[in-house]
Amino acid sequence: MNGLINYASCGVLWLGLLVRAPDLLRHRRDPYLRSICAVLGLAGLCFFLGAPPTVGAINRLGGVPNLAAPLTYAAIIAYGAASQVLVVHWRGGPGVRRTARRWILAYTGVLAGVAVTFALGDAPVERRTDLDTYYATTPYLAQMIVLYLVAHLIAVTVTAVTSLRWARRVRGGLRAGLTLMGVGALCGTGYSVAKLVAVVARWSGRDWAALGTAVSPAAAGLGALLTVVGVLVPLITPRVARWGRARRTYARLEPLERALDDLLVRRTLRLPRPRLASPAALLVWRQTSIHNALSHLDAYFDRDLFDRTRASALRTAADPAWAEAAAWAAVIGTAVRDEAAPGRRLPPAHGTGRLLDRIPGPAGLARIADVLAGAAPAAPAAPVTPAEPAPSAAAPATPTGAV
């Protein structure tokens, strides 16, 4: 009687609506987003209006016994239509707008039928939880009850069949979302079937009101939970996947940042680490620190060392990308030591050339970090003269297990 299941289900659904609200405000004309928000909002409204305390408040404020009944039924009917329209937009293809319009028009007619039959019927006794069975034999009200239950049953059945059938043809988050939405719709059919069975039992003189007051709310609550998760999964999955990739790349770049750590601290090139930041923001922060260090080391990069190390790596491995990463690792390690040495010795003028015009992108930086996390190839030996000591290769970093 306290409506705990109703209010909890409503809260879950409206929380999902709150998650999607910013996107809807940015893309008001997107029919797909409008359908999602309509499903979440109307489903929550169904549970809110159907809670016994809400029913009593509406009846009292409206001054009409059982006024909450047609309002709740209208929300249930609108929710069923919105679910089917969502599936139509989700699936896409030709004739989407025409099909969606047909569902909307059909269920607008059902809404009108509910309003007319309630106005023609007589329901003087307030029933907050068992109106369906109590008035199952009352003229016009019986037709109203059957009309809304059959309309809801058709909508959720079509939604369940369409969602589960389509789920077999797709993969990833969309498949999981469609499966959950289909199972949630099946629970919705349990709501309508239990109510209809209780009504039919009342027609034959039996009292199975518990089906409508206990079984139906439980089925509807579970269906609401599965529906909101199913709607949100395809929307959240890509974001979670991006965060996962950013987190892995962030960890993968750690050996390269560690090789540059002394320079970053000594020259104050690292920005403050963002607090409570997303994986993507942390990745940008680490990449920015690395780029700041490489920009500072530009004058210390030795092109001859780069070319020799790359040529040597190509003789032992056929992968040009790995060879270039190995060359960068050698050049960066040498530049870090030269920059920190007393007098800050620059590479010989004839061997110096700007490398930053082809500095690696994110994928290249990750490969350099991989080389530093393993065994960086040694630079080929160069002739040594008193005036020109041979540049040293980067020292291998301690393996960190970066992926």
Side-chain angles (χ1 to χ4, degrees):
M1 280 297 288
N2 60 10
L4 179 60
I5 293 178
N6 292 68
Y7 291 133
S9 301
C10 174
V12 169
L13 288 158
W14 283 353
L15 179 62
L17 177 61
L18 185 64
V19 171
R20 300 309 306 163
D23 289 337
L24 180 63
L25 292 176
R26 288 192 296 267
H27 308 284
R28 294 182 182 87
R29 298 183 180 277
D30 189 337
Y32 174 61
L33 278 175
R34 289 205 303 265
S35 299
I36 290 176
C37 293
V39 167
L40 296 175
L42 289 170
L45 185 62
C46 293
F47 287 104
F48 179 77
L49 293 177
T54 305
V55 171
I58 292 175
N59 295 338
R60 183 173 60 257
L61 293 174
V64 178
N66 300 305
L67 176 62
L71 297 179
T72 305
Y73 298 164
I76 292 172
I77 293 167
Y79 162 71
S83 298
Q84 185 54 40
V85 170
L86 172 60
V87 173
V88 169
H89 284 297
W90 218 346
R91 190 168 186 177
V96 170
R97 292 186 178 180
R98 183 173 61 254
T99 304
R101 192 180 301 114
R102 287 175 179 174
W103 277 100
I104 293 172
L105 290 175
Y107 275 74
T108 300
V110 175
L111 289 174
V114 168
V116 171
T117 50
F118 179 78
L120 294 175
D122 183 22
V125 180
E126 182 187 60
R127 309 300 298 186
R128 297 190 180 185
T129 59
D130 63 345
L131 184 141
D132 299 319
T133 51
Y134 187 86
Y135 288 107
T137 57
T138 302
Y140 297 110
L141 295 181
Q143 285 78 5
M144 176 190 71
I145 293 166
V146 172
L147 179 62
Y148 101 84
L149 287 174
V150 170
H152 177 260
L153 180 61
I154 291 173
V156 293
T157 300
V158 173
T159 300
V161 172
T162 304
S163 299
L164 295 176
R165 182 181 297 169
W166 186 24
R168 297 200 299 266
R169 304 176 186 175
V170 294
R171 294 290 183 271
L174 181 57
R175 183 175 190 172
L178 285 169
T179 301
L180 287 168
M181 191 171 179
V183 175
L186 285 177
C187 292
T189 65
Y191 167 86
S192 297
V193 169
K195 290 271 191 182
L196 283 170
V197 169
V199 168
V200 172
R202 179 73 174 84
W203 291 347
S204 61
R206 297 181 179 86
D207 184 9
W208 291 359
L211 287 175
T213 57
V215 177
S216 288
L222 178 59
L225 177 62
L226 294 174
T227 297
V228 68
V229 174
V231 168
L232 295 178
V233 160
L235 305 173
I236 295 175
T237 300
R239 185 177 302 175
V240 173
R242 287 194 298 270
W243 284 356
R245 288 192 297 269
R247 187 179 293 108
R248 289 191 295 271
T249 305
Y250 174 83
R252 190 178 175 187
L253 289 175
E254 194 273 337
L256 178 55
E257 187 190 23
R258 188 173 64 246
L260 300 168
D261 185 69
D262 177 70
L263 172 65
L264 290 168
V265 173
R266 185 161 36 83
R267 298 295 182 182
T268 319
L269 299 174
R270 181 187 281 124
L271 297 174
R273 180 187 174 96
R275 296 181 178 180
L276 303 176
S278 68
L282 288 175
L283 175 60
V284 171
W285 170 77
R286 177 162 280 179
Q287 288 174 332
T288 301
S289 299
I290 292 171
H291 278 289
N292 289 345
L294 296 183
S295 297
H296 180 80
L297 292 173
D298 183 22
Y300 297 88
F301 288 150
D302 188 342
R303 183 178 291 277
D304 283 349
L305 174 61
F306 181 91
D307 292 337
R308 290 197 310 274
T309 306
R310 186 176 184 276
S312 176
L314 283 174
R315 286 195 293 270
T316 59
D319 185 359
W322 186 89
E324 184 159 325
W328 270 107
V331 167
I332 290 171
T334 301
V336 168
R337 288 194 297 275
D338 288 347
E339 193 275 344
R344 299 189 295 277
R345 181 182 62 82
L346 295 177
H350 70 273
T352 303
R354 287 183 59 83
L355 290 175
L356 284 181
D357 57 351
R358 53 170 173 164
I359 192 169
L365 293 178
R367 285 191 292 268
I368 296 171
D370 291 342
V371 172
L372 292 172
V384 180
T385 63
E388 182 182 331
S392 58
T398 304
T400 61
V403 293

